[in-house]
Amino acid sequence: MSKAAKVVAALKVEDLTERQARAEQKRLTDEIAHHDKLYHEKDDPEISDAEYDRLRQRLKAIETRFSQLADMFSPTQKVAPPPTTAFAKVRHARPMLSLDNAFSEDEVREFIVRVRRALERDIDLAEDEQVALACEPKIDGLSISLRYEDGVFTVGATRGDGTTGEDVTPNLRTVKDIPHELKGKAPGSIEIRGEVYMERAAFLAMNKRQEADEEKVFANPRNAAAGSLRQLDSTITASRPLRFFAYAWGEAEPRTWKTQSEYLKLLKGWGFKVNPQSKLCRTPEQVLDYYAGMAAQRAALPYDIDGVVYKVDRIDWQERLGFVSRAPRWAIAHKFPAEQARTRLNDIVIQVGRTGALTPVADLEPVNVGGVMVARATLHNADEIERLDVRVGDTVIIQRAGDVIPQVLGFVPEERPKKTHKYEFPTHCPCPLKTKVASEEGGVVRRCSGGLECPFQQVERMRHFVSRYAFDIEGLGGTHIENFWRDGLLKTPADLFRLKERAGDIHKREGWGDLSVRNLLAAIDARRTIPLDRYIYAIGIPLIGEATAKLLAQEYGDADTWLAEMLAATGERKRKPDPLKKEKAVAEVGDSYGRLCNIEQIGVTTADAMCAFFGEGHTVDIIKDLRRQLTIEPVTRRVIAADALLKDKIVVFTGELSSMTRDAAKARAEELGAKVTDSVSKKTSLVVVGENAGSKARKAAELGVQTLTEEEWVKLSK
Ligand code: IVH
């Protein structure tokens, strides 16, 4: 951008001269066209939706203020660019429109007033008559239109430019939420519209698979959904976890329903998924409460939403209100505040984790991101900084998605100061030991080599020990651990259970009154008895998360057997220190080591990390000291009848089951004597393949492992 253009871009619309407005209109139009192309054709946007919305809003404001500039070819008059050519074109019987946006409560109230006024022009609304609004989450996916003739799915298309979309029928047939036939009595001819989307968890898992297969990874669930739907090979679409919510219609012959809420009920009856959060609201207050409720729930929903949509419920009123160019007058999208922001990167600091892993963290000029102040964001590792090339002094773009830790997405090149330096990862740890930083072989992680001696790691280990899924001690969050550690109250986990004797010392500190000390000690006492898996997890062994801790608890049954076996395995491994390449070698190392490696999902890497951990004499002293403070509940082993149907079988469930939950299926398999695991290997006896199954089903086929469909499984397990 030229200097002059930059100056104009920074001006408020009300301060622009007509000449400046003309230049700005051109710039915005070009920029919007550029981003439209990236978004719609490449499924690979450069800017956030919020930033895109801001461009459009500014252009619209210019065209409103300078009506002489309004242009029928302006992007504000269009829904989206015309579709690309790889797919056949489908003309929608009724255009697929977009929605106007509201970004504030005031704009929502204005919308409600506007609707009321417009209706009052034609009809007599009693003063106390409310215009009921159907409120729905605004799913962040892509809209599609499905044509059903006599109840049978015939053609499905993307929105395209609103008039003409792309024919993606074979791909849509693979989406499990889209019925091939409508149930019950449906209109003879109907276009059913709604949103194809991907759940966040499924998206993350899919990206992981893509990465492992060295395939394209997607920026977010919406791009992933769009990219997956616009595949020329529908078997690829079938392997992607696409979902569908129905919420609108195009052509409908005959249209028998009178309200949006009635239509949603019909959709359900025909066999569609309808968003369960939809609600009919009758007053502006109810509407705004709905918005606040959805904003609060947003992070907890399994899929992304970027706002809510309000629709006049009565269809005869919708028809009276009609449309303006790209959007209906009877509906509006109330968007959530942007969850991306720009701010200055003040510094890059290194955090030491409990296993010594060094994580670079962005120290930011505090900025409000979607209602939360953010001053730090993770930069993951040295490779990530290299990839982003962010430098101290840069203006960076940060993103906060739900309850996820804020992330740095990149920097703004135009705003890079003149003198910046490429970031160099420190060669020495910032911890008091100043150890030389070790790069893990082949990995991206760099570590402090101070081990148990490193005070930073000690504090992090204590933090982990009291955390939610470990000992879950309430009242010891934030900086307490650090302060207690510094003053010698808490050096190792066992010290926690000796804090009682130091109650006086705690009292002396600021902020600790009678009640809080008593509560803390009670919270600690309540954890003197602990299940074996939590205990194992809490110790903080590298690579041992909650799931693996459970497996270990299952395998060894009680704390003493477990520790004895870990020490035996460690001893065996020490006597055979060569790298183990083949699984065969495992048994040669020793029985205890072999037993450990043979636990499903453990294997040599994890076993070796555990042996390295238990190989430190100091560690074992700490664990034994802790052990003496606790009653550790053993795992009650399931008694499996000798003739159990699936005795000694290893079963994997993959894909989505429709007649039962995954947990219920797992529980049933275990009842029948099976061991249920997550990954397919040669040892797997049986893989139950649900819908949209991906790599596990493929792997089972490759390895020749027996597979069952859901139906077959149901029969077998009856
Ligand atoms: S109604 C004529 N309802 O938002 C009204 N749209 O910004 C048509 N969207 O194109 C849209 N959830 O892709 C409607 N519950 C919902 C929605 C929804 C997501 C999307 C849809 C639409 C876009 C408009």
Side-chain angles (χ1 to χ4, degrees), residues 262-561:
E262 189 187 341
Y263 176 62
L264 294 181
K265 283 194 199 113
L266 286 171
L267 281 171
K268 252 194 239 174
W270 295 335
F272 287 99
K273 295 274 183 332
V274 172
N275 195 292
Q277 313 282 345
S278 308
K279 196 180 162 201
L280 192 63
C281 291
R282 293 177 196 280
T283 65
E285 285 63 42
Q286 281 177 7
V287 165
L288 294 173
D289 274 357
Y290 176 82
Y291 174 82
M294 289 313 301
Q297 273 190 62
R298 182 181 186 188
L301 293 174
Y303 43 80
D304 284 350
I305 62 175
D306 58 345
V308 297
V309 185
Y310 309 132
K311 303 172 182 173
V312 169
D313 195 42
R314 275 178 63 162
I315 296 160
D316 55 340
W317 288 358
Q318 289 185 0
E319 283 168 349
R320 274 175 203 281
L321 289 161
F323 299 85
V324 267
S325 64
R326 74 185 257 267
R329 274 208 199 85
W330 46 266
I332 198 160
H334 190 182
K335 299 283 272 282
F336 291 137
E339 297 221 71
Q340 277 189 4
R342 294 173 171 203
T343 190
R344 200 186 109 97
L345 176 63
N346 287 332
D347 200 2
I348 296 176
V349 294
I350 300 291
Q351 235 169 36
V352 185
R354 81 180 143 83
T355 59
L358 303 183
T359 307
V361 175
D363 183 353
L364 304 163
E365 196 55 39
V367 62
N368 189 321
V369 194
V372 175
M373 287 307 283
V374 171
R376 313 194 109 203
T378 178
L379 283 161
H380 301 289
N381 52 50
D383 282 11
E384 176 75 355
I385 303 182
E386 176 84 33
R387 187 181 73 82
L388 296 171
D389 185 30
V390 287
R391 303 175 183 192
V392 171
D394 270 343
T395 297
V396 290
I397 300 166
I398 57 168
Q399 172 167 288
R400 194 180 63 92
D403 51 1
V404 179
I405 318 162
Q407 278 188 312
V408 177
L409 298 183
F411 68 99
V412 185
E414 306 93 78
E415 294 186 22
R416 169 162 282 176
K418 282 222 174 68
K419 274 198 190 134
T420 56
H421 302 283
K422 226 178 152 64
Y423 180 74
E424 280 188 36
F425 208 89
T427 49
H428 289 81
C429 183
C431 78
L433 303 180
K434 305 252 171 301
T435 62
K436 215 163 166 220
V437 168
S439 251
E440 220 156 68
E441 212 188 319
V444 286
V445 180
R446 303 189 187 194
R447 282 183 196 282
C448 163
S449 47
L452 290 170
E453 306 293 314
C454 167
F456 283 22
Q457 292 184 45
Q458 287 173 10
V459 170
E460 287 314 309
R461 241 178 270 125
M462 276 310 301
R463 261 199 242 283
H464 169 78
F465 188 77
V466 301
S467 67
R468 175 127 164 249
Y469 301 107
F471 272 67
D472 190 22
I473 309 281
E474 246 179 79
L476 257 192
T479 50
H480 292 320
I481 293 274
E482 217 173 303
N483 295 336
F484 281 28
W485 185 90
R486 197 177 337 96
D487 298 347
L489 287 171
L490 265 188
K491 287 289 184 195
T492 74
D495 290 343
L496 192 66
F497 299 95
R498 291 189 280 257
L499 268 186
K500 229 184 203 159
E501 301 146 29
R502 312 280 301 263
D505 289 334
I506 307 178
H507 256 301
K508 279 189 223 135
R509 328 173 137 257
E510 209 178 320
W512 286 92
D514 265 353
L515 186 67
S516 49
V517 175
R518 231 181 311 134
N519 284 346
L520 174 64
L521 294 177
I524 294 170
D525 268 342
R527 295 286 183 267
R528 281 183 197 271
T529 301
I530 190 105
L532 179 59
D533 58 328
R534 270 190 185 248
Y535 165 77
I536 295 176
Y537 171 67
I539 288 172
I541 307 161
L543 303 183
I544 305 301
E546 273 181 272
T548 324
K550 280 207 172 82
L551 292 173
L552 289 164
Q554 277 286 342
E555 174 67 29
Y556 297 103
D558 68 85
D560 296 328
T561 308

Side-chain angles (χ1 to χ4, degrees), residues 198 203 206-207 218-229 240 242:
M198 215 179 261
F203 156 73
M206 177 190 117
N207 251 358
F218 294 94
N220 55 46
R222 187 199 49 221
N223 297 133
S228 300
L229 193 59
R240 305 279 173 84
L242 292 176

Side-chain angles (χ1 to χ4, degrees), residues 97-99 136-139 143 159 195 247 309 311 328 330:
L97 292 145
S98 185
L99 293 169
E136 299 165 11
K138 188 171 185 301
I139 313 298
S143 54
R159 179 170 69 176
E195 204 83 354
Y247 53 68
V309 185
K311 303 172 182 173
W330 46 266

